Amino acid sequence: MPDSQRFIAAATVTVDAKAHDIWAVWVDVNGWKGWDAGIESSRLNGNFKEGNTFTLKPQGADPLEVTIKTVTQGEEFSDETVLPFGTIRNFHRMEQVDGRVKITHEVEATIEGDAVGFFGKEVWPHMQSGVAESLGNIADIVGND
């Protein structure tokens, strides 16, 4: 079995907002390009629920099929993209903290064999920087203080 490498990035922001407003931004998959500059387009296939998929086209790349793995309505969801050279998982969570909402986004990529070098140099830096940037954009949309 070829060697693999895990890449992990996470960011958290706390906002003065209603959890349902954040949830509305998350479940509007077709509108994700409005807060994630790394996305050229995205389209939900069916409803936002576990097991359904969406098509995501990163900037300058081919479209990907992403599977919604878990959904806890109004709190968190995760998704997974299986690629020929590995798997990318995203975890989106929110929790109430002292009248505010703490939002966390974590990305975990497990990349196999010969693709590790290319992914680490050409793809990961953009994904990694996009995590905090996209959270900041969501905070702006939902009314950060």
Side-chain angles (χ1 to χ4, degrees), residues 120-143:
K121 290 178 188 169
E122 301 297 327
V123 178
W124 184 245
H126 301 289
M127 291 181 70
Q128 189 175 25
S129 66
V131 172
E133 180 184 337
S134 64
L135 269 186
N137 291 339
I138 290 173
D140 290 342
I141 290 167
V142 298

Side-chain angles (χ1 to χ4, degrees), residues 8-80:
I8 298 173
T12 299
V13 65
T14 303
V15 297
D16 284 322
K18 303 265 189 260
H20 65 82
D21 291 336
I22 297 162
W23 189 254
V25 170
W26 280 349
V27 300
D28 179 20
V29 174
N30 298 351
W32 283 6
K33 69 179 182 179
W35 53 267
D36 188 330
I39 296 174
E40 184 175 311
S41 65
S42 52
R43 185 178 53 81
L44 180 61
N45 304 312
N47 296 320
F48 192 88
K49 66 180 188 176
E50 186 176 314
N52 279 358
T53 63
F54 58 92
T55 303
L56 182 119
K57 184 173 185 331
Q59 294 288 349
D62 292 334
L64 304 168
E65 182 171 301
V66 183
T67 302
I68 300 169
K69 299 300 281 184
T70 63
V71 176
T72 302
Q73 186 71 28
E75 294 179 19
E76 64 184 8
F77 75 95
S78 65
D79 60 64
E80 179 180 86

Side-chain angles (χ1 to χ4, degrees), residues 65-118:
E65 182 171 301
V66 183
T67 302
I68 300 169
K69 299 300 281 184
T70 63
V71 176
T72 302
Q73 186 71 28
E75 294 179 19
E76 64 184 8
F77 75 95
S78 65
D79 60 64
E80 179 180 86
T81 307
V82 177
L83 304 165
F85 53 83
T87 304
I88 299 173
R89 294 177 185 88
N90 289 278
F91 305 92
H92 304 262
R93 299 178 189 92
M94 65 176 146
E95 63 180 294
Q96 295 285 336
V97 178
D98 298 325
R100 301 176 83 199
V101 181
K102 182 170 116 176
I103 312 168
T104 301
H105 179 191
E106 180 180 337
V107 179
E108 176 187 304
T110 303
I111 306 303
E112 303 293 333
D114 293 341
V116 168
F118 174 80

